[in-house]
Amino acid sequence: TFVAYTDDNRLLLNQLVFDEELGSYSEDLSYESTQVEIPNIHNVTHLLIDTQQSLLYVAHNNSEVSLIDIDDLEDIQVLERKRVVAEDAELTEVTFLTGEISLLVGDNKGRLSQWFPVQKETGLSLSHIRDFDSDHTSVTDIVTEQRRKGFAAIDNKGQLAFYHSTAHRTLLHETISNTPLNMLAISPRANTFI
């Protein structure tokens, strides 16, 4: 399943179903493609699909995340549209925490929060779980560990912070550059930052 936001402001979802396993890599690989357009979502900044390919998270309008059920392409449903940052802030980063259930959200005021879908009487709803103590300015990237529930965030003032989500702790907070930081990578063992 692929999702894309186009220059002409369309949100497109494309699902490819292959006739055989991709392991053979034959030149005669055949597939069936289904494309649908998801209407009424504009100013998209981030797109995330869960591993089951049943939920699509769309960050848009600098403040909101829409939770969309994409399990049935013939009946795509926007389950919820929720503001995930404070009124005085703009969303700058969003990513999955390891396990791809929780979302980590960063904003231009340096705030970091965790959200995940919770089943309620009215259906699935994106719920705020916790905030993380932060001395950040505008969050420019959030990167998660591959195997544990740790994550790092960087900002436009050269600061790096490392957090453990389940323990709700800040493990490290350092200024590592006197210029803005834009991208970060964590090694598979989570013992090196790049």
Side-chain angles (χ1 to χ4, degrees):
T1 302
F2 302 91
V3 63
Y5 186 65
T6 65
D7 283 342
D8 61 351
N9 300 314
R10 293 181 304 136
L11 185 59
L12 302 175
L13 183 84
N14 195 319
Q15 186 177 64
L16 301 177
V17 178
F18 292 90
D19 290 340
E20 58 185 73
E21 287 294 319
L22 288 177
S24 66
Y25 296 108
S26 70
E27 290 183 29
D28 299 329
L29 192 62
S30 60
Y31 61 89
E32 196 175 299
S33 176
T34 305
Q35 181 174 295
V36 294
E37 183 172 344
I38 302 170
N40 302 321
I41 296 183
H42 306 287
N43 305 316
V44 172
T45 58
H46 298 81
L47 298 167
L48 300 167
I49 300 174
D50 71 345
T51 53
Q52 289 80 29
Q53 299 179 45
S54 61
L55 292 174
L56 168 64
Y57 298 83
V58 181
H60 54 100
N61 297 330
N62 294 322
S63 64
E64 299 176 319
V65 171
S66 286
L67 178 60
I68 303 171
D69 182 344
I70 60 170
D71 201 33
D72 180 357
L73 294 188
E74 294 179 10
D75 188 27
I76 291 178
Q77 297 178 29
V78 177
L79 302 174
E80 185 174 43
R81 186 178 227 154
K82 182 168 276 191
R83 184 174 189 91
V84 294
V85 295
E87 290 293 327
D88 67 338
E90 292 182 4
L91 184 144
T92 56
E93 279 298 314
V94 62
T95 193
F96 281 125
L97 184 61
T98 303
E100 297 187 3
I101 295 172
S102 292
L103 291 181
L104 298 170
V105 174
D107 69 28
N108 68 331
K109 303 291 185 179
R111 297 179 192 116
L112 293 163
S113 57
Q114 182 179 2
W115 299 74
F116 62 75
V118 173
Q119 189 66 43
K120 297 186 176 180
E121 286 182 19
T122 57
L124 212 51
S125 176
L126 200 57
S127 297
H128 178 256
I129 303 305
R130 64 178 60 95
D131 292 312
F132 296 92
D133 293 332
S134 170
D135 291 328
H136 287 286
T137 57
S138 184
V139 175
T140 56
D141 200 8
I142 302 171
V143 179
T144 60
E145 288 184 296
Q146 290 183 11
R147 295 179 179 93
R148 298 177 295 193
K149 299 291 182 177
F151 69 95
I154 55 174
D155 69 19
N156 66 354
K157 294 284 186 179
Q159 297 179 89
L160 163 74
F162 193 74
Y163 303 89
H164 190 276
S165 64
T166 307
H168 195 212
R169 290 189 48 215
T170 303
L171 304 174
L172 170 76
H173 191 274
E174 296 286 331
T175 299
I176 62 170
S177 174
N178 57 6
T179 60
L181 300 170
N182 296 314
M183 286 186 273
L184 179 69
I186 299 176
S187 67
R189 290 187 180 182
N191 61 0
T192 306
F193 295 106
I194 299 175

